[in-house]
Structures are given as structure tokens and as C-alpha cells.
Amino acid sequence: MDERTAFLKEITEAFGPPGLEDDVAAILRRRTEEFCQIGRDNIGSFIATKKGTSAEPKIMVAGHMDEVAFMVTDVESNGFVRLRPLGGWWPHVLLGQRVRVRTRKGEFLGIVGSKPPHDLKAEERKQVLDWPDIFVDLGVGEGFDVLEATGVRRGDFAVPHAPFETLANPNQHVVKAWDNRVGCALAVDLLRELKDAEHPNTVYGVATVQEEIGLRGAATSAEQVMPDIAFAIDVGLARDTPGYKGAEKAQEKLGAGAAILLLEGHVVSHPRLVRFVLKVAEEEQIPHHVTSIEGGGTDAARFQITGRGIPSMAICVPSRYIHSHSSLVDRRDYEATLKLLTAVVKRLDARTVAEIRG
Ligand SMILES: [Zn+2]
């Protein structure tokens, strides 16, 4: 396994529910502390600063560290555990999957229980279970005190258990939490690309906390950095699978390069910034496509309304099956996005930023 693959494996497998992202921050710190100044905001967002030939303009490039996860809300006397979602889950994707529950006594494997079809009534088969009906089994059994052994209690966090693996297609890696460890990895790999290069600005490689429950670290980290331009790096939605209308012709597909987000929810990406990024992508011949997301959005939505406003947009890596145990990213899209970010940052001098800000 090459060095970058090992890094991507480590960072996607790391335990990082909204509110408890310290393990991810420690990995990012290790990768940048030799040549960056490291800081945090008051709720834990990671901020690595790399000064170029000028203190200004200030360019912020941010992924979010948290992943969709769970909190234990109830522990029954027989040892079964109930969860509440942290972030958007479709319970459909959970049954029969494994989770890792972290307690004061360590980390424990659990199974999201499911009924065998033999015992399902006709109407049950057609339903998606709701949270009160979902439970986790940490090894409940006669003669074994699961509560004593694991120490599980209300307030403990759990994340999907899903090891990093490569498919028959050697470019495709499957694992939990590409959303959005891919953005964190790109933010720090960008800093590494700039390590021995000239750039006419100061770059803030940021990894925010609590994006999945309301873009919370985006607010606090942008307030702390107060950049002139901000980029959110996140996963894009690949729409190239059965179930999407026109999937065969979709622009948003694995292997299509960096996804440039024009519109998310009600947020319009800064048009002059978008135009600039598209120009760089075309001139440098970096694979890319444009896209939009109707439901939900990225940290860019919050960056945009920080202070008196920060020109912002999101640049994404297309991904299939996000918010499940098995999200998929194409390695070539990672490389294309890294190349694009590096080229963009190298060109963002004071004059260019002034032109974009208008
Ligand atoms: Zn997400």
C-alpha cells in the first residue's frame, strides 16, 4: 500500500462522530505540524496555517472531520442498546450492519439487529424501520453481563464499522466516512503540495467539526480565520447508478474529476469565484464538471455569511453511497481535485482576490 493510500485508510477508518472529532484532528496534525502552525477553534475545528510569500490574502480550504454517526440514548436492562442518529441516516441502510461503540471501557463491536424474513409479517416487509425500533447487540447472552463488560451507557458515541477496501477497479476505494474525510485529506495534502512551492498568500487548511448536524464548526472556524476567500471541500453526489434518471449520461460520475458546485440548497456559489476556478481548471486541463445539490449543503453555506460575508464555494469529489457503511470514491478524482486546489491557490494573489471580491 502506498503512503497516500495508507493515509486515506487511516483517516476514513478513524472514529469521528459530530462532537468527538479529536482522533481525526490528531491524524491531520501529524501530517502538517512540521511545516505549518497548528491551532484549534474553541469547539475543536483544526486549523493549519501555511504562510507563503505574503501574509495576505488569506485563503481558507476546509473539509469537515465529523461523520454521520450515532449516540446511545437508551440501554435496556437485558443489554440491548438504542441509538439516535447524528446526521442524516436512512435506516434502510443500517439493518444487519456493524457499528463501533466507544465507552469509558474501550471500543466495542455491535450489530444492528434485524429480523429474519421468516418472521416478518407481510406489512413489516414493506416498511423502513424507525429509530425506536432499531437496536444494537453488543453480545447479549445468558451468563454474560454485557453492561458490566462494555460499560455502555447513555451518551456514548457509535460510528459505522466498515474497513477500507479496494474494489476490482483499482481506482475505487470503499469505506465509511468518505463524507468528509476526503475533504480533510485534501485540505492537508494541499498544504503538503505547497510545502516547497511559492504561493502569494497565506493558506489555512481547516477541518471543521459538527458539519453533519448543522455546519457548526464552519461558523466558529471561519470566525477565527476570517479569510478573504473560502473553499469547502466535500463529497459530491455521483448520479451514475441505476435509480437515477439518465444515469448513463450523468456528468456527475466516478472518474469525472473535481465537481464544482454551483448551487446547494438555497445557496449560490460566488459567481466570480466559480468563473475563476473554472478558468484555472480549463487552462490546466484538469478533469472537472459542474454540479448542484438540492437537499442539504456544505460548509460553504456558512462561510459565505460569516462576518460581513466571505466569497465562498464548494469543490467536491464525486462519491456514491454516502451516508452509509460503503461509500465509494475514485482515486483519480482525488488527484484531480488536489491538482485543481493547488493550481487555484497558487494563482490567488492580492490582485486576483481583489478582482474576485469586486
Ligand atoms: Zn454528509
Side-chain angles (χ1 to χ4, degrees), residues 51 58 76 119 212 286 311 320:
K51 191 169 172 291
K58 299 197 283 185
E76 296 180 1
D119 284 341
E212 296 289 359
I286 299 165
R320 289 185 198 142

Side-chain angles (χ1 to χ4, degrees), residues 11-12 16 24 28 62-68 176-187 206-208 211-212 232-236 298-299 315-317 322-323 327:
I11 198 163
T12 47
V24 185
L28 299 174
H64 67 83
M65 288 189 280
D66 59 315
E67 62 188 300
V68 286
K176 73 173 179 71
W178 274 126
D179 176 9
N180 181 18
R181 305 292 159 71
V182 76
C184 302
L186 280 164
V206 174
T208 65
E211 189 267 359
E212 296 289 359
I233 315 302
D234 212 320
V235 286
T298 72
D299 278 342
I315 298 178
C316 300
V317 178
I322 63 165
H323 289 217
S327 57

Side-chain angles (χ1 to χ4, degrees), residues 14 16-17 37 73 126 143 177 226 245 350 356:
Q37 190 197 321
T73 48
K126 294 186 200 141
M226 210 45 92
K245 218 173 146 204
I356 290 167

